[in-house]
Amino acid sequence: MSRVVIAPDSFKGTASAADAAAALAAGWRTVRPADELELRPMADGGEGTMDAFASAVRGARRVPIRVRGPVSAPVDTAWLLLPDGTGVVELAATSGITLLDPLAPLDAHTAGFGEAIAAALDAGVERLLLALGGSASSDGGVGALAVLGGRFLDTADRPVPLGNRGLGMLARVDLSGLRPWPAGGAVILGDVTNLLLGELGAAAVFGPQKGADAATVDVLEENLARLAGLMPAPLSPLAGAPGAGAAGGTGFGLLAWGAEMGGGASLVAQAVGLGEAIAGADLVITGEGRFDGQSEAGKAPTVVAGLARDAGVPAALVAGAIAAEPRGFTASVALADLAGGGAAAMAEPLRWLEAAGAELARTS
């Protein structure tokens, strides 16, 4: 009998991390029903981060709230209170791209994320974990900061409209009224190291995913540069900090607030006790929707594989598509290969995740 740890991230837009782990386990059991399976759903700061904490931390409690969604329509969501007084707030659950149809690259904003942060502060949290990823907007975090007491004003000293478009009217930034972060600090959970500006910045890399064509990307970039240039002098250089471009520049806004940048997947792995679970296992299975060149920059599968390597345990990768060499894995399975194409895999992700689990059980 073998002990297998199953720790995938979500398959974005098709299967949550918890559902992916359950499907992989179901497939494995069809071949090797006597094996001991330990499920540890993972996240890297994007969609599903709250779920990962909720499933792993005994006593975690969801606190329901209603916030303005990415274009201000009400969204019923929650933030998570951990037993030690830490609040977990997930941008994808308040201002995420999955909450918006059609996309609105110039007008989507992060005000709802700020409202969730404010709710956690009002509840007296001792520490904040701020999960970035899956953003619908490119507003530099201005929507969130405005809720938290920042002032972003036009030439007539009026608040600029929410969203990146409003940044084009920006004339003055006043952050003196920002609420203080809690005594234990605020930590950003993110899976990207992109800067705010430039060819690897928030607009150029992530703008097209949010519905921006080439001309709109140029506008997004120009307006984010305007924001960076108008920030109080000691804060402008933060535009060049790794992770400042996360979630449409929300990383930049949170850094300006005083939050610290942390590795999303690494912190989630620590919280869910993944290292302890892996110790003594015979195999670790991880995965995500698409494994590509960005996956090695601290995303969940690479972090899981690193923990497995440190423990001397082989790791297997399951992904919807594998577009880069899966280094560090002893086996890999692409759902697109099993299903005969990416569209077929995305249409029935749980079916093909089960098939992947069975395939690994036969070949491992």
Side-chain angles (χ1 to χ4, degrees), residues 84-88 120-121 124-130 180-189 257-262 267:
D84 68 355
T86 296
V88 182
L121 291 172
V125 296
E126 297 179 13
R127 181 177 181 238
L128 279 171
L129 297 179
L130 304 172
W181 21 266
V187 178
I188 300 166
L189 308 183
W257 184 38
E260 299 178 19
M261 188 65 66
L267 288 172

Side-chain angles (χ1 to χ4, degrees), residues 136-290:
S137 69
S138 299
D139 75 345
V142 163
L145 292 185
V147 171
L148 294 171
R151 301 176 70 216
F152 299 87
L153 307 170
D154 63 16
T155 54
D157 251 15
R158 297 171 301 197
V160 299
L162 291 170
N164 180 282
R165 192 191 306 272
L167 301 183
M169 309 173 195
L170 194 61
R172 186 165 71 89
V173 175
D174 177 6
L175 302 182
S176 62
L178 278 176
R179 296 183 62 166
W181 21 266
V187 178
I188 300 166
L189 308 183
D191 64 355
V192 302
T193 57
N194 300 71
L195 311 184
L196 179 66
L197 305 171
E199 61 181 16
L200 297 178
V205 175
F206 303 113
Q209 300 172 10
K210 300 170 187 181
D213 59 19
T216 304
V217 165
D218 289 342
V219 174
L220 297 176
E221 175 80 3
E222 180 180 345
N223 290 346
L224 286 171
R226 185 179 185 87
L227 168 66
L230 288 170
M231 292 293 274
L235 301 178
S236 291
L238 291 174
T250 304
F252 173 67
L254 293 178
L255 288 170
W257 184 38
E260 299 178 19
M261 188 65 66
S266 296
L267 288 172
V268 173
Q270 181 180 355
V272 304
L274 186 58
E276 294 85 346
I278 288 174
D282 297 291
L283 178 68
V284 178
I285 302 173
T286 186
E288 63 180 346
R290 179 180 174 83

